[in-house]
């Protein structure tokens, strides 16, 4: 049996999964099931204890790219395969989101908004794409495509990954020294890293100070990777020019949080790249079939490295 936990779109996913896997019994939370007969789970953010008693569970398919919340649980035995989505239509959305922030910074839209509020007509010097340095943290299924897409548009792109993976048009770097070089050379910093033990707290005040004065930050990875208070402090001191933030250490971002009201900050509610049900179910179906054949599915998470 396959058990689905996707409360916000349960009907959509149930219909798609049942159609894609006609021979398989698909049951939907909160319908009670015999936990011992669950072999596969398809989930996004299941509640604590969800996996209790699922002793024949073979694989969990995640309805997203990030698995940080799942990796932090203690009710998922290490024998269970965790399979995430790989791109599944999210890379193009992320490229569009990044481009929105990049254009906002490069074309000085924040400054023009400010001018508009004072009815000021004051053209500022142009800055071309070829003069704009973008540092991309995370060059995976999503980040890699975003970095190459920005490079194709003429931006000067440098990318940081664990392996220093080479990508067309992107200057690759890795390690602490590579990160420091990238920060020092980024007018715009774009974070699309997975949250792991190594990346939590990565963008702390010390590292953010390594960005050039007037830099702009786009965070679409995870909130716990960026020190939000440091961002506010660096904005106040004029070291940062602005930020486009999609993910936060606490979500939803609390109503009283100063980021909501900062004039140089754009806040979005974790929508940079959303899961597309058709694409997701088609990937899950192919990955489950691969597992059944004894093959390694695309998107199999390496539990030890956390992504
Ligand atoms: P991938 O697993 O495909 O890629 C992860 C990338 O990060 C790889 O390039 C990897 O390096 C790099 N990386 C991981 N750990 C480190 C480290 N310690 N130091 C340097 N580089 C590291 O992930 P995706 O591209 O599919 O997704 C990335 C993240 O984006 C997700 O985990 C999620 O948090 C976030 N996301 C946010 C969304 C939103 O709407 N805001 C939507 C979808 C995803 P290497 O290539 O060497 O392995
Ligand atoms: C994801 C996300 O990881 O939406 O897929 O954040």
């Amino acid at each position: 049996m396959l058990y689905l936990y996707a409360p916000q779109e349960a009907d959509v996913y149930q219909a798609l999964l049942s159609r894609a896997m006609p021979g398989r019994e698909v049951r939907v939370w909160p319908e009670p099931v015999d936990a011992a007969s669950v072999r596969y789970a398809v989930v996004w953010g299941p509640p604590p204890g969800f996996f209790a008693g699922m002793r024949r569970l073979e694989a969990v398919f995640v309805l997203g790219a990030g698995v940080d919340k799942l990796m932090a649980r203690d009710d998922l035995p290490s024998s269970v395969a965790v399979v995430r989505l790989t791109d599944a239509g999210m890379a193009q959305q992320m490229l569009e989101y990044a481009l929105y922030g990049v254009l906002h910074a490069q074309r000085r839209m924040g400054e023009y908004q400010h001018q508009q509020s004072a009815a000021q007509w004051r053209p500022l010097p142009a800055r071309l794409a070829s003069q704009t340095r973008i540092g991309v943290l995370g060059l995976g299924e999503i980040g890699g495509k975003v970095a190459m897409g920005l490079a194709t548009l003429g931006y000067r792109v440098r990318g940081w990954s664990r392996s220093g993976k080479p990508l067309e048009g992107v200057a690759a770097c890795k390690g602490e020294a590579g990160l420091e070089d990238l920060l020092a050379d980024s007018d715009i910093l774009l974070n699309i890293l997975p949250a792991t033990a190594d990346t939590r707290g990565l963008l702390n005040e010390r590292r953010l100070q390594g960005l050039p004065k007037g830099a702009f930050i786009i965070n679409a990875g995870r909130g716990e990777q960026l020190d939000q208070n440091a961002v506010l402090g660096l904005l106040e001191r004029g070291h940062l020019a602005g930020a486009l933030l999609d993910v936060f250490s606490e979500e939803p971002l609390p109503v009283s949080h100063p980021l909501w009201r900062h004039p140089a900050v754009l806040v979005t509610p974790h929508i940079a790249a959303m899961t597309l049900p058709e694409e997701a179910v088609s990937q899950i179906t192919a990955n489950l079939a691969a597992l059944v054949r004894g093959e390694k599915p695309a998107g199999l998470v390496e539990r030890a490295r956390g992504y």
Side-chain angles (χ1 to χ4, degrees):
M1 184 217 300
L2 183 153
Y3 199 30
L4 167 70
Y5 182 89
Q8 281 167 11
E9 288 174 292
D11 294 348
V12 175
Y13 280 107
Q14 184 179 24
L16 288 168
L17 286 164
S18 303
R19 195 181 317 144
M21 306 180 201
R24 205 169 281 288
E25 185 186 2
V26 177
R27 305 281 285 276
V28 186
W29 184 93
E31 178 189 357
V33 293
D34 171 17
S37 52
V38 177
R39 291 179 61 196
Y40 303 105
V42 173
V43 303
W44 184 250
F50 179 80
F51 299 108
M54 295 189 189
R55 54 177 191 275
R56 290 179 62 222
L57 186 66
E58 290 176 29
V60 177
F61 298 91
V62 183
L63 289 169
V67 292
D68 42 299
K69 298 281 184 303
L70 216 53
M71 293 296 101
R73 301 174 69 109
D74 55 11
D75 59 350
L76 201 54
S78 56
S79 56
V80 176
V82 175
V83 185
R84 68 188 191 90
L85 296 179
T86 50
D87 183 350
M90 285 186 275
Q92 173 65 25
Q93 295 176 69
M94 191 64 89
L95 173 59
E96 292 161 5
Y97 185 87
L99 196 53
Y100 185 89
V102 165
L103 290 171
H104 183 88
Q106 177 213 341
R107 299 305 307 262
R108 310 178 77 152
M109 291 302 171
E111 289 160 272
Y112 288 122
Q113 271 170 353
H114 192 65
Q115 288 191 22
Q116 184 178 347
S117 64
Q120 280 178 349
W121 185 278
R122 195 157 53 86
L124 300 166
R127 182 163 71 181
L128 304 180
S130 58
Q131 298 165 327
T132 306
R133 301 165 299 173
I134 304 177
V136 181
L137 305 181
L139 300 178
E141 292 288 336
I142 297 176
K145 288 171 189 154
V146 171
M148 286 192 289
L150 293 169
T152 304
L153 290 168
Y155 293 98
R156 284 165 56 186
V157 183
R158 194 186 275 242
W160 190 68
S161 66
R162 215 162 67 127
S163 54
K165 144 194 218 175
L167 291 176
E168 190 163 350
V170 179
C173 59
K174 64 177 183 175
E176 185 62 33
L179 178 59
E180 280 172 20
D181 288 350
L182 177 145
L183 292 171
D185 202 28
S186 295
D187 301 307
I188 299 169
L189 179 68
L190 169 57
N191 176 40
I192 320 180
L193 283 166
T196 66
D198 293 332
T199 66
R200 284 192 188 89
L202 185 82
L203 297 174
N204 56 24
E205 178 149 25
R206 179 183 65 78
R207 291 202 178 96
L208 293 175
Q209 271 170 344
L211 287 162
K213 188 168 162 42
F216 187 89
I217 293 183
I218 304 171
N219 190 18
R222 285 291 184 262
E224 54 268 47
Q225 294 160 339
L226 177 68
D227 182 337
Q228 295 173 179
N229 288 331
V231 169
L232 283 165
L234 290 164
L235 283 166
E236 286 323 303
R237 297 201 290 279
H239 191 76
L240 290 178
L244 168 60
L245 306 177
D246 187 53
V247 287
F248 302 88
S249 49
E250 185 182 348
E251 293 181 7
L253 182 65
V255 172
S256 61
H257 202 287
L259 282 171
W260 276 118
R261 279 162 283 279
H262 197 289
V265 177
L266 300 167
V267 169
T268 53
H270 201 141
I271 48 72
M274 294 162 92
T275 298
L276 306 175
E278 281 84 1
E279 306 256 7
V281 168
S282 134
Q283 253 189 33
I284 290 167
T285 308
N287 283 335
L288 199 154
L291 272 176
V292 169
R293 290 194 302 270
E295 294 166 11
K296 185 178 164 184
L300 181 67
V301 172
E302 279 186 38
R303 305 278 287 260
R305 66 178 196 179
Y307 71 100

